Amino acid sequence: MGNVGLLFVGAVLFINGMLLLGKVDSRSGAVFNLFIGSLQVLTPTYLIFSAAGDPLKILAASGIYLFGFTYLYVGVGLLAGLDSTGVGYYSLFVAIAALGYSFANFHILKDYPFGVIWLYWAFLWFLFFLLLGLKWDGLTTYTGYVTAIEGWVTGVIPAALLLSGYWKHPTEIAIALAAFGVVVFAALWPLTRKSRKPAVPAAGSVDAAT
């Protein structure tokens, strides 16, 4: 069930990336955020209740709430025309918490690919904090591309591999993910700094986790 949710996390991150890039209408994007936010609150609730008290299963499911509440917050904020500052500072909380979940995946769950993926999410939600909380509008284009790319790299592709049984060789996957993130996101920086920055929607356009 969590893998299905991960697939749609990828979808909402892609939509939010397009929203930041000015390709998707804010109210239209808000509705999809509400759909996925609801899914990302119901999914961990089910997983935790069905975990039979297993602390590792509860730990693995608990982080999903971070993203579910992000999408609900964004969806409501966009529809109501709220200022994005609240989403921005909540994103700072998510970014810090994501570092903890990355540590847990590396050292407790021994899930190295998702240890790296949580670092991706920490980076993305920190960008949301800078953009929406501190109003660094110059990051709009860069954040939009990072969001859209992470939708595929941390959501759609891992979910498809997990659902189809092709999620193998975890150490190699973790190394490939780390190398891809460093190279691509570093290369994007100078490219997006030269491009025209679209305006950030009033309520922000974070999906972003998950």
Side-chain angles (χ1 to χ4, degrees):
M1 185 172 182
N3 295 334
V4 175
L6 184 63
L7 177 68
F8 286 97
V9 164
V12 76
L13 286 176
F14 177 70
I15 292 297
N16 285 340
M18 294 299 101
L19 199 160
L20 281 169
L21 294 171
K23 305 296 185 182
V24 173
D25 173 73
S26 61
R27 292 178 67 85
S28 175
V31 173
F32 196 63
N33 273 274
L34 292 176
F35 288 158
I36 306 306
S38 299
L39 175 66
Q40 293 300 98
V41 169
L42 292 174
T43 296
T45 301
Y46 168 79
L47 292 174
I48 289 171
F49 272 103
S50 62
D54 186 328
L56 293 183
K57 290 182 179 179
I58 293 172
L59 172 64
S62 62
I64 302 173
Y65 285 116
L66 294 169
F67 307 118
F69 291 129
T70 299
Y71 307 136
L72 290 175
Y73 202 166
V74 168
V76 172
L78 287 171
L79 289 176
L82 302 178
D83 179 78
S84 66
T85 306
V87 175
Y89 277 89
Y90 174 67
S91 296
L92 175 61
F93 170 81
V94 174
I96 295 170
L99 294 176
Y101 278 97
S102 175
F103 178 86
N105 274 268
F106 278 122
H107 295 282
I108 300 175
L109 301 175
K110 304 300 181 182
D111 190 338
Y112 304 121
F114 273 89
V116 176
I117 285 173
W118 275 101
L119 292 177
Y120 269 76
W121 289 334
F123 174 61
L124 180 58
W125 261 255
F126 185 70
L127 288 177
F128 292 150
F129 162 64
L130 297 177
L131 178 63
L132 305 175
L134 300 185
K135 312 295 186 183
W136 288 15
D137 293 347
L139 289 174
T140 303
T141 300
Y142 180 75
T143 305
Y145 279 113
V146 172
T147 305
I149 291 169
E150 286 207 17
W152 293 95
V153 176
T154 70
V156 177
I157 295 173
L161 293 175
L162 286 162
L163 289 168
S164 61
Y166 287 103
W167 188 254
K168 301 175 182 178
H169 309 294
T171 301
E172 290 80 358
I173 291 175
I175 293 170
L177 283 169
F180 178 88
V182 170
V183 172
V184 172
F185 296 152
L188 270 177
W189 177 250
L191 295 175
T192 56
R193 296 299 291 175
K194 296 177 183 178
S195 63
R196 180 174 173 270
K197 285 82 176 174
V200 181
S205 174
V206 184
D207 23 279
T210 100

